[in-house]
Amino acid sequence: MSAMTTLLRRELWEHRAILVTPVVVGILILAALLLPIVAGTFGDVSIDGLPDDLEDLTPEKVRAIWTVAGAGLAFPFELAMVLVTAFYLLDCLYAERKDRSILFWKSLPVSDAEVVLSKLVTAVVVIPAVTFAVFAVTSLAGWGITAGFLSSLGDEGSMLVAGPGSVFQGIVLAAYLFAAQALWYLPFYGWLLLVSAFASRALLLWATLPPLALMWLERAGLGTNEFAELLGHRSVGFLESALRTEDATAVTRLSNGDTNISIEATGDVWRLLDPVGFLASPGLWAGIAVAAAFVAGAIWLRRYRDEA
């Protein structure tokens, strides 16, 4: 356990983007909230009556709006987390061969499996945890800024404010989705680790060209798109598996043949969460099996491939 802790600290020390990136995203979001508020303050903003469609807002609807807004704030953090994780995994094993630091680490009583697994744990646990912590702070700070400004506008502005408990529910939903996404993306992470252990240059090409080639060969040879659909489902399928979406969405077939999908704003996120269904999902365990094969390949390559 102490060896793994040391290895995880090494990853945080060597890859500062793990912390810097979500902090920058949080600062930009808070700045985006503050700038119009500061500008509006100088303009003596006031609310002279709510619009007709807002006059029917109940406290329950206001809490639901704050909950959904709080969860929606996680999207830029989630995007940043995926990008940081992808580039981290592509670089982590390649860089130590390129700068020959692998020779130092191989001289220590640490196995190749421990090193590779520490990088996988960093991607699956550490990066989401760091990103979530910054997101949670940003959410609470954003609530304080926005709620304070609305409350300063008088009674009608105060009607649009809900307590921090609503934001907390959005934070809980985001934490659950961060964890579900990290597990669901294990095959992607394992593949990037394998590429990092194998490729000596052009890592992005090695990461993207084989899947693209497989899609082209399937399309040209069989006329199907099963592999492309599989990758598409692997990219967003965790939402379907991790959430009870039927409780929050309504699908309507329009007369012109189009489909209208509406999402109900809810202040009760607990009924949306389906951790048992997610953990029992065959797609999750199939992905874990594929990821295990990729990680095993990365461990084997690190053991015998010392130079870039």
Side-chain angles (χ1 to χ4, degrees):
M1 182 62 69
S2 60
M4 181 60 69
T5 302
T6 301
L7 289 171
L8 294 177
R9 288 177 178 174
R10 169 206 176 189
E11 300 306 317
L12 286 173
W13 178 261
E14 292 184 352
H15 301 273
R16 300 298 180 88
I18 293 174
L19 177 60
V20 172
T21 302
V23 169
V24 170
V25 172
I27 291 174
L28 291 176
I29 289 174
L30 293 180
L33 288 174
L34 280 170
L35 285 177
I37 290 176
V38 172
T41 300
F42 288 115
D44 192 22
V45 174
S46 61
I47 297 180
D48 297 326
L50 294 173
D52 293 338
D53 55 348
L54 296 181
E55 289 180 348
D56 296 331
L57 281 179
T58 63
E60 291 76 15
K61 290 182 179 180
V62 172
R63 287 194 294 271
I65 291 172
W66 280 89
T67 297
V68 173
L73 190 65
F75 177 74
F77 287 95
E78 182 182 22
L79 179 60
M81 178 179 69
V82 170
L83 292 175
V84 168
T85 304
F87 284 103
Y88 161 75
L89 288 172
L90 274 179
D91 180 70
C92 61
L93 294 176
Y94 166 78
E96 66 177 14
R97 286 185 287 112
K98 184 177 180 181
D99 62 16
R100 301 294 186 92
S101 63
I102 188 174
L103 301 176
F104 167 75
W105 288 102
K106 279 183 173 290
S107 68
L108 299 178
V110 180
S111 68
D112 296 289
E114 287 177 312
V115 172
V116 173
L117 289 176
S118 72
K119 298 178 186 302
L120 184 64
V121 170
T122 299
V124 177
V125 178
V126 176
I127 295 178
V130 171
T131 305
F132 169 73
V134 179
F135 157 73
V137 172
T138 303
S139 294
L140 292 174
W143 171 83
I145 292 170
T146 308
F149 175 71
L150 290 174
S151 298
S152 69
L153 299 179
D155 293 339
E156 291 182 327
S158 299
M159 291 174 58
L160 304 177
V161 178
S166 299
V167 179
F168 175 74
Q169 289 199 57
I171 291 174
V172 170
L173 177 60
Y176 174 70
L177 292 179
F178 276 22
Q181 183 186 47
L183 292 175
W184 193 257
Y185 278 15
L186 272 172
F188 292 148
Y189 296 164
W191 168 249
L192 294 176
L193 268 177
L194 183 64
V195 171
S196 185
F198 168 77
S200 57
R201 58 180 62 85
L203 276 75
L204 280 175
L205 289 179
W206 275 108
T208 56
L209 284 183
L212 291 176
L214 283 175
M215 286 188 281
W216 181 82
L217 288 173
E218 181 195 358
R219 181 62 179 173
L222 302 176
T224 60
N225 295 305
E226 295 295 331
F227 186 66
E229 292 175 3
L230 176 64
L231 291 182
H233 177 69
R234 179 56 57 175
S235 298
V236 298
F238 72 95
L239 292 172
E240 179 182 348
S241 298
L243 298 176
R244 297 186 181 94
T245 52
E246 67 275 5
D247 290 339
T249 61
V251 179
T252 305
R253 300 289 181 180
L254 304 180
S255 58
N256 60 1
D258 293 339
T259 300
N260 180 54
I261 300 178
S262 60
I263 300 177
E264 176 190 356
T266 174
D268 181 14
V269 303
W270 312 112
R271 66 186 178 91
L272 299 179
L273 309 186
D274 187 17
V276 175
F278 176 70
L279 293 176
S281 169
L284 172 65
W285 292 103
I288 291 175
V290 172
F294 288 150
V295 172
I299 294 171
W300 186 88
L301 285 169
R302 188 183 188 274
R303 184 171 298 142
Y304 298 107
R305 186 179 177 89
D306 294 343
E307 299 181 3

